[in-house]
């Protein structure tokens, strides 16, 4: 059972554009939603995270939008740069579930000049 | 502060053999989690250790096991290797005060032939 669905699978944007990656979850017990960025040959790096008590969080050029009623959240990358080209994963975890992260399937982002 | 380190970075084993992978968490982090990453299944949780105790376990067969030492270093073992065990094995650590912020190492690339 895939508990976190992520789309699109791949995305190409022009430099300066705003790629948007979407995730939907099923388990209403999830209460922590991080996004990870992974470059080839590297482990995932924590980018930004949100909890259900807020609808939006910004850190630098990265913004998470959260819709609790729809059980959806999304990542927006403002003023995207070629250096942002990577695979992005959304994830979810729940209090009492230890530190287990349930990941989405990933989105390969390419930012072209 | 040094990040999560994993050794070895690359490993080639033959079907039927066993393998042990090592993870050293960030200094001060006592929780260590292991994940398997494959193109087909994505990132899947294996298990988590905290203070030398397994706190959570994913849906993997008993051939996959782990342990944690008193210095928080962790090892995972895979016995009777199968071709399908070929994957990137990632270790992540987190601090007790911020358990949801997991920091990943670069992974160990295991190839089973």
């Amino acid at each position: 059972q895939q508990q976190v669905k992520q789309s699109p699978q791949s995305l190409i944007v022009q430099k300066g554009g705003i790629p948007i990656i979407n995730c939907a979850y099923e388990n209403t017990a999830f209460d922590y939603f991080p996004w990870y960025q992974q470059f080839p040959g590297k482990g995932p790096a924590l980018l930004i995270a949100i909890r259900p008590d807020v609808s939006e969080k910004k850190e630098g050029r990265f913004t998470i939008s959260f819709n609790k009623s729809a059980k959806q959240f999304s990542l927006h990358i403002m003023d995207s740069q070629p250096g942002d080209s990577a695979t992005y994963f959304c994830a979810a975890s729940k209090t009492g579930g230890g530190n287990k992260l349930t990941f989405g399937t990933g989105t390969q982002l390419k930012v072209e000049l | 502060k040094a990040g999560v380190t994993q050794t070895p970075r690359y490993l080639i084993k033959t079907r039927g053999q066993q393998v042990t992978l090592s993870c050293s968490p960030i200094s001060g982090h006592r929780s260590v989690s292991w994940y398997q990453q494959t193109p087909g299944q994505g990132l899947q949780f294996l298990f988590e250790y905290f203070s030398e105790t397994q706190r959570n376990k994913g849906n993997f067969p008993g051939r996959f096991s782990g342990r944690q030492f008193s210095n928080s270093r962790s090892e995972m073992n895979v016995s009777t290797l199968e071709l399908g065990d070929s994957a990137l094995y990632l270790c992540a650590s987190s601090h007790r005060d911020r358990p949801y912020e997991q920091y990943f190492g670069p992974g160990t690339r295991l190839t089973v032939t």
Side-chain angles (χ1 to χ4, degrees), chain A residues 39-107:
Chain A
F39 293 104
K42 305 287 187 182
L46 179 61
L47 263 181
I48 184 173
I50 197 169
R51 291 194 177 274
D53 53 345
V54 297
S55 60
E56 186 177 274
K57 182 175 181 180
K58 292 182 181 181
E59 284 187 7
R61 295 185 295 108
F62 300 95
T63 299
I64 299 179
S65 297
F66 190 85
N67 185 329
K68 188 176 180 179
S69 61
K71 293 187 288 184
Q72 295 176 347
F73 58 109
S74 59
L75 177 70
H76 302 230
I77 305 175
M78 307 302 177
D79 187 29
S80 59
Q81 302 297 314
D84 296 328
S85 297
T87 300
Y88 293 81
F89 293 92
C90 62
S93 66
K94 58 183 180 180
T95 302
N99 289 347
K100 175 184 177 180
L101 285 168
T102 299
F103 282 89
T105 50
T107 296

Side-chain angles (χ1 to χ4, degrees), chain B residues 37-77:
Chain B
Q37 185 174 25
T38 60
Q41 299 298 316
L43 280 151
Q44 292 188 292
F45 174 80
L46 280 157
F47 29 65
E48 181 211 352
Y49 287 87
F50 181 83
S51 293
E52 302 178 66
T53 301
Q54 187 179 87
R55 193 159 67 172
N56 212 341
K57 191 177 189 307
N59 296 323
F60 279 82
R63 300 185 297 107
F64 292 81
S65 63
R67 59 177 176 169
Q68 186 179 34
F69 302 96
S70 59
N71 61 358
S72 295
R73 191 176 69 85
S74 177
E75 289 180 348
M76 69 163 282
N77 183 277

Side-chain angles (χ1 to χ4, degrees), chain A residues 1-66:
Chain A
Q1 180 188 13
Q2 184 185 356
Q3 295 192 49
V4 180
K5 295 183 179 180
Q6 183 172 347
S7 63
Q9 187 174 0
S10 62
L11 189 54
I12 300 174
V13 299
Q14 297 299 308
K15 179 176 178 291
I18 305 176
I20 301 172
I21 304 171
N22 301 298
C23 284
Y25 62 98
E26 300 169 3
N27 189 341
T28 54
F30 286 145
D31 58 3
Y32 178 77
F33 302 90
W35 284 89
Y36 283 84
Q37 177 191 57
Q38 186 176 28
F39 293 104
K42 305 287 187 182
L46 179 61
L47 263 181
I48 184 173
I50 197 169
R51 291 194 177 274
D53 53 345
V54 297
S55 60
E56 186 177 274
K57 182 175 181 180
K58 292 182 181 181
E59 284 187 7
R61 295 185 295 108
F62 300 95
T63 299
I64 299 179
S65 297
F66 190 85

